[in-house]
Amino acid sequence: MNKTQFSKFVEYLLKNNNVIAPQYNVEAKLIIAELKKTSDFYMGTELPLDSWKWFLLPPKQKMFDYKGEKMTEALPSVKKQIFLGVSILDMQALTLLNQIFEQDPYYQEIKKNTIIIGTSHMPKDNFSEYFAKFEENKLEHLQFDIFLAVQNGGYKIYTGSEDGQRFLDNFKYKDYKHVEYAGPIREEGLDLQMVSVMDGMQNFHDQKIWDDLGKRCISCGKCTIACPTCFCFRMFDKSHLEQGSGERNRCWDSCFYNEFTQVAGVAPSAPKHRLMATTAQKIYFWYEHHFVRTPGTYSLPGCVECGRCTRACPADIDIFQTQRDILAARNKKKEK
Amino acid sequence: MINDYQTHNCKILKVESESSDSKIFTLSLPYKDFSFEAGQYVMASLPGFGEAPFSINSYFNEKKFIQLTIRKVGVLTSEINKKKKGDIIGIRGPYGNSFPIGIAKGKNVLIVAGGIAIEPVRPIILDAVNNPQKYKKVFIFYGCRDESAMLYVKEYPSWKKACDLNVALDNPKSKKYIKGPVTILFDVVNIPTDSIAYVCGPPIMYKFVLAKMLEKGFRPENIFISLERHMDCAQGVCQHCAIGTKYVCKDGPVFSYAELKDFKTWLSPI
């Protein structure tokens, strides 16, 4: 598909759909928002500030309405939406979220109304050995509907679902290849880079790395908001003015907040027990989630190396550097 | 799509005051064919006040009702404690794994509990009471603040028929009980170290109890610990209860000490 055809395709998508796409805002920041006109659409190597999770796993979501003792499920009402221009790194993040929330009716309600159009664009400064070079066979482990592989003067088009095929057929575009989703786990097994970092954290623990990070980190939680694979949430009830009615909600949480591990004390007035007391413990927990727990549970990378957390961090903590430090400590201890 | 966050309304059949600030709530079954195993928990909630995990502490072979013992420690528990017979509590579950009691058949059993944490092990005690021949000998080491905080006191006569019950109190008001932490009981009672041990208590208790048990010669794989954590989803998604690669809500709450000691973060992170 050449550039002219592609512009027409974007116009075609915009005509009847709610298209969400990267675009610059008035402050010249690349954001993801509803696309109003084709010319606003940004397609390139820069990654938007926030990730696509905002549209699949909204920061606050109603789960139930209650009246008296009756809890009624409140699924989100979503109109069909198209994610246009999702970087391959973000596709990996979405594939992980799809796994984690496979039993979650709220996530699934939004997901089934979402079309994902990905691209092979990668940020210039990247740390992903696996995605640094795009190869066709990498697509079969990612969930998407349409994929645009960048090539000279345009895009090579792939489809990853019947929905994707239908869109292209209706647009009267035939020159695409279909890739059948083969599950999230690659034939060659776990991501090698991920395995090394996981091994470093689990078997070659270097306390100094975490003590240093603990001193720099200010526990603001911005990284957890920026991260495309941070998804933890808490649930809370909100009463309405009418007595006995209200809603049960969930909202994003952050493991950097003090209340994250809080359990009851011995009495209402007694101090609460918090299982993570220091910043070093919190930041270790965050890294452990991404580099140990997620790969351990889902056999998928818990970090897609997008670097958004580094960009968001006011204390200049660089996730790529931390990984280099973990790997260096591992190599050093291995040599001994 | 099945929504696992949907609560089931349970009617309160009976409320009994237990200790100075706790009550036992006997509830109708959340749904037909509800069954659970010793050590599992449910999420209990009141609309407007949120949800929290509570161990089921009735006998697991009892098919007509379940019981939760709830101490007033916060907003939700204080509100539940105001509830009366006939009121409704929302329940979902049961969740988590259970104490492996099958392996203790014909063997000595040691139950170590601190304060309110005797709840999750009560089903094992009730099992021993109902099947006196099932286990060789059952020892209970129970540590508590003082007499007013002790739970299930009315049941002690029946427990004593099947178990060797030993209580240690931090501040005993009478001379009936030993003064000191629960670890003191290991030096008072001669405990067979081949016992299968089920342990539950506040985080501070584990450090001392486990050190004592290992010193006495207990094997880590024979010690089973039930952990308390902050939980929201109870399905291994929300991350609050995570330790190492495991989720206390889904992979736990019961872990053997052999499993736990490899985690840097189970007792206090790194």
Side-chain angles (χ1 to χ4, degrees), chain B residues 242-254:
Chain B
I243 46 166
T245 50
K246 305 273 187 196
Y247 297 103
V248 174
C249 69
K250 194 176 79 175
D251 306 311
V254 179

Side-chain angles (χ1 to χ4, degrees), chain B residues 42 104 107 176 218:
Chain B
V42 289
K107 291 186 181 154
K176 210 171 144 193
F218 276 86

Side-chain angles (χ1 to χ4, degrees), chain A residues 21-31 40-43 46:
Chain A
Q23 52 198 285
Y24 285 104
N25 69 1
V26 285
E27 292 173 329
K29 292 200 168 108
L30 190 62
I31 56 157
D40 288 346
F41 175 50
Y42 169 84
M43 178 81 152
E46 189 180 337

Side-chain angles (χ1 to χ4, degrees), chain A residues 21-23 29-33 42 44-52 84-87 90 226 306 308 311:
Chain A
Q23 52 198 285
K29 292 200 168 108
L30 190 62
I31 56 157
I32 302 173
Y42 169 84
T45 57
E46 189 180 337
L47 277 184
L49 277 180
D50 289 312
S51 75
W52 300 88
L84 179 62
V86 181
S87 157
D90 284 339
C306 68
R308 282 190 178 93
R311 226 165 23 174

Side-chain angles (χ1 to χ4, degrees), chain A residues 102-298:
Chain A
E102 64 176 353
Q103 307 288 344
D104 189 280
Y106 306 97
Y107 182 90
Q108 292 300 330
E109 186 67 22
I110 301 180
K111 194 202 146 215
K112 75 179 180 203
N113 285 298
T114 304
I115 297 284
I116 292 169
I117 304 182
T119 82
S120 62
H121 278 303
M122 282 278 289
K124 279 193 189 101
D125 176 26
N126 72 71
F127 196 65
S128 172
E129 284 170 14
Y130 184 77
F131 286 119
K133 190 165 168 268
F134 170 73
E135 281 157 357
E136 193 178 303
N137 61 5
K138 290 176 181 172
L139 284 179
E140 62 185 24
H141 301 295
L142 297 168
Q143 282 175 303
F144 63 94
D145 297 285
I146 297 174
F147 186 78
L148 316 161
V150 183
Q151 61 177 29
N152 288 347
Y155 305 101
K156 191 170 178 192
I157 310 291
Y158 298 89
T159 57
S161 74
E162 286 162 17
D163 276 344
Q165 293 177 28
R166 255 191 298 274
F167 259 97
L168 290 168
D169 291 346
N170 290 342
F171 179 62
K172 307 255 180 302
Y173 186 83
K174 300 268 175 234
D175 193 13
Y176 64 81
K177 237 174 145 177
H178 182 69
V179 179
E180 193 63 31
Y181 181 55
I185 302 162
R186 305 164 193 160
E187 289 78 24
E188 65 272 26
L190 299 173
D191 189 296
L192 287 176
Q193 190 177 334
M194 176 184 83
V195 171
S196 314
V197 179
M198 189 178 173
D199 181 49
M201 282 192 73
Q202 283 193 300
N203 303 321
F204 301 93
H205 179 79
D206 183 355
Q207 187 59 34
K208 195 177 169 296
I209 297 174
W210 309 104
D211 286 343
D212 286 351
L213 288 177
K215 278 180 207 147
R216 290 165 60 196
C217 171
I218 57 166
S219 301
C220 65
K222 282 179 103 172
C223 51
T224 59
I225 295 170
C227 178
T229 62
C230 264
F231 54 81
C232 66
F233 59 85
R234 66 187 166 84
M235 287 162 60
F236 66 98
D237 289 3
K238 192 175 116 190
S239 308
H240 290 161
L241 285 175
E242 187 193 337
Q243 202 181 359
S245 75
E247 53 198 57
R248 178 157 292 171
N249 303 288
R250 71 176 174 200
C251 68
W252 292 355
D253 205 350
S254 167
C255 51
F256 288 95
Y257 299 161
N258 281 335
E259 296 78 10
F260 191 78
T261 53
Q262 179 169 295
V263 294
V266 290
S269 55
K272 310 281 182 207
H273 293 297
R274 287 172 183 167
L275 289 129
M276 291 195 284
T278 67
T279 310
Q281 290 168 346
K282 290 173 186 169
I283 200 158
Y284 181 82
F285 185 92
W286 190 82
Y287 274 88
E288 193 180 40
H289 175 210
H290 293 285
F291 294 103
V292 181
R293 197 151 51 243
T294 301
T297 316
Y298 298 97

Side-chain angles (χ1 to χ4, degrees), chain B:
Chain B
M1 180 166 190
I2 294 170
N3 190 336
D4 203 28
Y5 295 101
Q6 180 78 55
T7 52
H8 302 269
N9 283 347
C10 292
K11 206 174 193 167
I12 301 176
L13 305 173
K14 202 161 109 185
V15 184
E16 296 158 85
S17 274
E18 193 67 45
S19 83
S20 54
D21 49 6
S22 310
K23 283 178 183 171
I24 304 181
F25 292 87
T26 304
L27 306 174
S28 64
L29 293 187
Y31 47 88
K32 209 177 155 248
D33 301 328
F34 178 92
S35 70
F36 72 98
E37 291 171 51
Q40 285 194 296
Y41 68 96
V42 289
M43 297 297 284
S45 70
L46 290 178
F49 297 92
E51 252 187 341
F54 297 94
S55 296
I56 313 175
N57 47 58
S58 45
Y59 184 35
F60 46 85
N61 279 341
E62 172 58 61
K63 302 292 180 205
K64 293 202 177 74
F65 58 81
I66 56 167
Q67 287 180 318
L68 307 178
T69 306
I70 297 178
R71 173 174 284 179
K72 254 191 279 181
V73 288
V75 177
L76 173 67
T77 49
S78 299
E79 203 57 32
I80 293 180
N81 265 269
K82 290 182 198 157
K83 293 285 168 189
K84 302 203 165 51
K85 186 180 165 181
D87 288 345
I88 300 288
I89 293 181
I91 297 283
R92 58 186 177 98
Y95 293 112
N97 68 354
S98 55
F99 286 111
I101 51 171
I103 60 163
K105 223 173 165 180
K107 291 186 181 154
N108 290 314
V109 171
L110 168 66
I111 289 166
V112 187
I116 186 116
I118 195 160
E119 282 185 59
V121 290
R122 183 172 171 241
I124 310 177
I125 301 173
L126 295 178
D127 191 34
V129 170
N130 281 290
N131 305 292
Q133 305 302 321
K134 188 168 173 182
Y135 308 102
K136 201 162 156 192
K137 192 155 187 204
V138 180
F139 296 86
I140 304 171
F141 286 4
Y142 184 34
C144 235
R145 203 166 58 223
D146 53 35
E147 281 88 344
S148 72
M150 285 164 64
L151 291 176
Y152 313 124
V153 179
K154 275 179 252 159
E155 296 178 4
Y156 291 174
S158 71
W159 289 11
K160 279 179 180 165
K161 281 181 200 157
C163 313
D164 181 352
L165 176 66
N166 302 278
V167 181
L169 301 180
D170 293 335
N171 302 303
K173 299 210 165 57
S174 69
K175 292 231 162 89
K176 210 171 144 193
Y177 302 105
I178 298 169
K179 183 179 165 67
V182 71
T183 41
I184 218 167
L185 296 169
F186 285 90
D187 297 323
V188 178
V189 183
N190 193 13
I191 181 91
T193 55
D194 64 345
S195 309
I196 305 293
Y198 303 110
V199 185
C200 193
I204 186 77
M205 191 191 94
Y206 293 120
K207 195 174 155 191
F208 298 103
V209 163
L210 289 167
K212 197 81 190 169
M213 290 178 84
L214 296 178
E215 178 197 312
K216 289 277 168 191
F218 276 86
R219 299 229 310 266
E221 58 271 31
N222 285 343
I223 305 173
F224 296 93
I225 298 162
S226 175
L227 294 180
E228 181 195 19
R229 283 294 185 275
H230 182 121
M231 292 174 192
D232 274 279
C233 72
Q235 300 158 32
V237 179
C238 79
Q239 299 298 319
H240 291 85
C241 68
I243 46 166
T245 50
K246 305 273 187 196
Y247 297 103
V248 174
C249 69
K250 194 176 79 175
D251 306 311
V254 179
F255 295 94
S256 79
Y257 184 53
E259 264 178 290
L260 278 183
K261 66 181 173 43
D262 292 335
F263 292 131
K264 283 185 237 0
T265 49
W266 81 274
L267 198 54
S268 60
I270 58 169

